[in-house]
Amino acid sequence: MIGAHTDSPVLRVKPVSKKQGEGFIQVGVETYGGGLWHTWFDRDLSLAGRVMVKTDKGDFIQKLVKIDRPILRIPTLAIHLDRQETFNFNKETQLFPIAGLVAAELNRTGQTPNLTAPESSTASNEPPDEDFTPLKASTERHHPYIVELIAAEASVPTSSIIDFELILYDTQPACLGGLNSEFIFSARLDNLGMSYCAITSLINSLSSPSALDDERCIRLISLFDHEEIGSTTAQGADSNLLPSIIRRLSVIGPASEKTETAYEQTLATSFLVSADMAHSVNPNYASKYENDHKSEMNKGTVIKVNANARYATNSPGITLIQEVARRKKVPLQLFVVRNDSSCGSTIGPMLAASLGARTLDLGNPQLSMHSIRETGGVYDVGYGVRLFEGFFEHFGELEGNIFVD
């Protein structure tokens, strides 16, 4: 099995996002995960996510939308107005993006500014009519033009939009960089980078018509949501999603081979690779890394080790993955944090605890983790894919040759 996560730190539109100040239209957002939020300033931002709409038949369905042009920006304060040594800001009051000017929107719609307060409604004992809605309409909770743009992307009228979950994203596309195009400059490498390696390797491992002829194992990948906020959700790694799937898979086969302990026996012979991007050494902050465990970009996939079980790696796991890498000619590296440094974690330890299966943590090295724009190595993608291909192809043979009392 290979487990990874698909989410990244982002800014998410609040349920009531309609704001304005000093003549600007603004959008209320909340932070998701532990992002490097200062990197979101002065970027060309837009919106993407899930929209719930009501159909003509009265059904409620979801649609995925992506506004493919920059409509938002979080402006920094000019240095002339605040010469602070470090860039500090309040996430609740100074992280709101601007979406336009109130005057421009009034000109577009032909409206005039409403300078009078709305009349207060009087209480009534009359039953609500058919148009009653428990929540305010989306065009009241959010700026109407933004709702119009969302509706246009979803190909529905604005009145059909019931609710949405939208995040901000950087409209600058990913690209290759560096003098020799050896870098990948992209958003969300953590952890779409390892998710891509997992999916591609599973497909590649089955490219031969005879790939499964002598296979006695099930090849599985599991991509989770909400790792950046603790994984304790229905879609997260700390749910019963993966255990329930394995339990159902464990009884596949002839009835004569089924036992009451099939699930437990399956876990005992299984192995999970927890694939999450790793830290490359940053030449400007080299002192932050343990001297003998500085991972380098384009030097191979990184095995993560931590004595306090922040990673689930142990020696039998290293033995297995090293033999896989030897067969596929993939270089590997070892990463350990300094004793005076905090250590992140992954879905590996929590899945190892819930499954009781052998687990190893690894990932490709990158710079600027949790920034809006991250940097990875071009060659490490190929290394990751080949390593995972080898894991799927050779695990059934190798796991029986590694003995642990």
Side-chain angles (χ1 to χ4, degrees):
M1 300 179 287
I2 297 177
H5 70 91
T6 59
D7 61 317
S8 302
V10 292
L11 296 175
R12 177 170 151 168
V13 176
K14 288 185 175 182
V16 180
S17 70
K18 190 175 184 179
K19 293 182 178 295
Q20 68 180 55
E22 306 300 331
F24 285 93
I25 295 173
Q26 293 181 281
V27 176
V29 295
E30 58 179 333
T31 58
Y32 171 91
L36 294 175
W37 303 120
H38 65 274
T39 65
W40 286 71
F41 282 75
D42 297 328
R43 303 294 300 186
D44 299 338
L45 307 173
S46 194
L47 297 172
R50 174 171 66 178
V51 181
M52 296 301 298
V53 302
K54 185 176 182 179
T55 68
D56 295 336
K57 296 180 180 179
D59 298 325
F60 298 92
I61 63 173
Q62 73 167 20
K63 293 205 170 195
L64 300 180
V65 300
K66 177 187 177 188
I67 299 176
D68 203 14
R69 68 179 180 89
I71 60 172
L72 303 171
R73 195 173 182 88
I74 306 172
T76 51
L77 182 63
I79 191 172
H80 314 81
L81 303 178
D82 188 5
R83 297 185 182 274
Q84 56 183 348
E85 288 291 328
T86 57
F87 182 34
N88 297 315
F89 58 92
N90 186 293
K91 289 186 286 188
E92 177 57 29
T93 60
Q94 297 169 329
L95 197 59
F96 293 143
I98 56 173
L101 295 170
V102 174
E105 179 63 5
L106 292 175
N107 289 335
R108 185 186 72 87
T109 59
Q111 299 176 8
T112 56
N114 182 11
L115 301 178
T116 59
E119 295 181 4
S120 60
S121 59
T122 56
S124 173
N125 293 324
E126 294 295 322
D129 58 30
E130 293 183 358
D131 294 329
F132 170 77
T133 55
L135 291 174
K136 291 182 179 179
S138 59
T139 49
E140 294 183 66
R141 292 186 284 131
H142 310 280
H143 287 290
Y145 193 25
I146 290 179
V147 178
E148 289 178 27
L149 292 175
I150 296 167
E153 290 294 325
S155 301
V156 298
T158 56
S159 58
S160 297
I161 294 181
I162 305 301
D163 198 41
F164 49 70
E165 298 169 346
L166 296 180
I167 62 169
L168 279 63
Y169 76 94
D170 188 354
T171 58
Q172 183 179 359
C175 66
L176 300 183
L179 293 176
N180 298 289
S181 297
E182 63 264 57
F183 298 140
I184 302 172
F185 300 150
S186 174
R188 300 179 295 280
L189 287 177
D190 175 26
N191 188 43
L192 295 183
M194 299 314 295
S195 298
Y196 171 82
C197 290
I199 294 171
T200 304
S201 66
L202 179 61
I203 295 171
N204 291 355
S205 74
L206 302 173
S207 59
S208 171
S210 59
L212 300 179
D213 284 357
D214 300 317
E215 181 64 272
R216 61 186 182 85
C217 300
I218 294 175
R219 303 177 185 183
L220 179 150
I221 62 173
S222 186
L223 307 181
F224 297 97
D225 196 3
H226 297 153
E227 188 271 348
E228 300 292 356
I229 56 172
S231 297
T232 54
T233 65
Q235 306 97 293
D238 205 19
S239 68
N240 72 340
L241 174 64
L242 185 56
S244 64
I245 290 174
I246 297 175
R247 186 179 295 278
R248 295 172 68 182
L249 292 174
S250 66
V251 297
I252 292 177
S256 59
E257 297 181 5
K258 297 177 183 178
T259 68
E260 292 183 357
T261 59
Y263 174 63
E264 289 77 11
Q265 292 178 41
T266 299
L267 293 177
T269 56
S270 296
F271 194 98
L272 170 69
V273 172
S274 169
D276 201 348
M277 295 292 282
H279 298 293
S280 167
V281 63
N282 186 321
N284 296 329
Y285 301 91
S287 63
K288 295 291 185 179
Y289 300 81
E290 209 279 338
N291 281 337
D292 299 317
H293 299 87
K294 294 178 179 178
S295 306
E296 297 180 56
M297 221 175 291
N298 287 327
K299 293 291 186 68
T301 301
V302 179
I303 299 172
K304 306 176 184 180
V305 182
N306 183 259
N308 297 301
R310 298 291 288 173
Y311 304 129
T313 304
N314 59 20
S315 289
I318 293 177
T319 302
L320 172 67
I321 208 68
Q322 186 173 215
E323 181 59 23
V324 170
R326 185 187 67 79
R327 296 187 179 197
K328 300 297 283 189
K329 293 181 169 49
V330 173
L332 295 175
Q333 305 181 75
L334 292 166
F335 174 78
V336 175
V337 298
R338 291 169 54 101
N339 287 323
D340 57 0
S341 171
S342 60
C343 180
S345 190
T346 68
I347 62 174
M350 67 179 66
L351 285 174
S354 63
L355 297 175
R358 295 166 292 177
T359 306
L360 178 136
D361 272 293
L362 53 70
N364 285 340
Q366 70 161 93
L367 291 169
S368 307
M369 187 176 289
H370 289 194
S371 170
I372 195 173
R373 195 81 175 165
E374 301 173 332
T375 301
V378 168
Y379 304 113
D380 290 325
V381 177
Y383 290 144
V385 171
R386 278 165 41 204
L387 181 65
F388 291 166
E389 281 180 33
F391 174 67
F392 284 130
E393 293 167 355
H394 301 300
F395 172 74
E397 171 196 352
L398 292 174
E399 72 95 16
N401 297 330
I402 300 174
F403 302 97
V404 180
D405 292 334

